[in-house]
Amino acid sequence: MTKQTDTPVSKEEILALQDAIELFRGKWKFCLLHHLSTSESLRFKDLQQKATTISPKVLAKELQDLEDHLLITRTVNPTKPITVSYRLTPHALESQPVLASLLEFGLKHRKKIKDKP
């Protein structure tokens, strides 16, 4: 755990934090990034199956947002029928420690809540 200091937070730091929170806003982005981190690439249908309760419309929007923010690449494959696959960008790989920390915290938190008297 980091030690708190009396150093004021700069406007640039506040804006950077707001940008990061906005980037990963919503319940699906981290989930999709996690699934993509476990495979070299995944097709739209694969992602829909892994994120079982996501609608195709929401999945398409979330993937578009991730692509717009340079976290994933979209590849149209010349198959019959045409398939689209997604993969993480090198920029997205920088988010993996954040994802791992959130996952670790989430698991501990769920256990603490479940074990609450």
Side-chain angles (χ1 to χ4, degrees):
M1 191 171 201
T2 59
K3 182 180 171 187
Q4 284 189 318
T5 64
D6 291 331
T7 307
V9 178
S10 72
K11 182 178 180 180
E12 187 66 24
E13 290 172 320
I14 291 170
L15 291 173
L17 184 57
Q18 289 172 339
D19 289 346
I21 291 169
E22 179 65 21
L23 176 63
F24 297 115
R25 167 181 55 85
K27 74 179 199 178
W28 293 110
K29 288 188 178 78
F30 270 119
C31 178
L32 295 171
L33 290 171
H34 175 70
H35 290 309
L36 285 165
S37 74
T38 63
S39 300
E40 188 172 317
S41 70
L42 290 170
R43 295 174 306 142
F44 186 92
K45 280 288 191 191
D46 297 331
L47 286 165
Q48 191 175 10
Q49 288 172 347
K50 288 178 180 291
T52 55
T53 60
I54 194 169
S55 72
K57 182 179 177 180
V58 172
L59 177 57
K61 184 188 178 322
E62 295 293 282
L63 291 170
Q64 182 64 56
D65 285 350
L66 291 170
E67 186 179 6
D68 290 346
H69 285 96
L70 309 176
L71 295 173
I72 63 171
T73 57
R74 178 181 184 269
T75 304
V76 177
N77 303 305
T79 57
K80 296 235 185 209
I82 291 175
T83 58
V84 177
S85 60
Y86 299 88
R87 71 180 328 148
L88 294 180
T89 64
H91 181 53
L93 295 176
E94 295 176 30
S95 72
Q96 293 306 296
V98 175
L99 178 61
S101 293
L102 279 172
L103 177 59
E104 181 181 343
F105 175 79
L107 290 169
K108 287 178 184 176
H109 179 69
R110 286 182 63 86
K111 182 173 178 7
K112 186 175 278 294
I113 294 301
K114 282 182 173 179
D115 295 344
K116 183 172 77 170

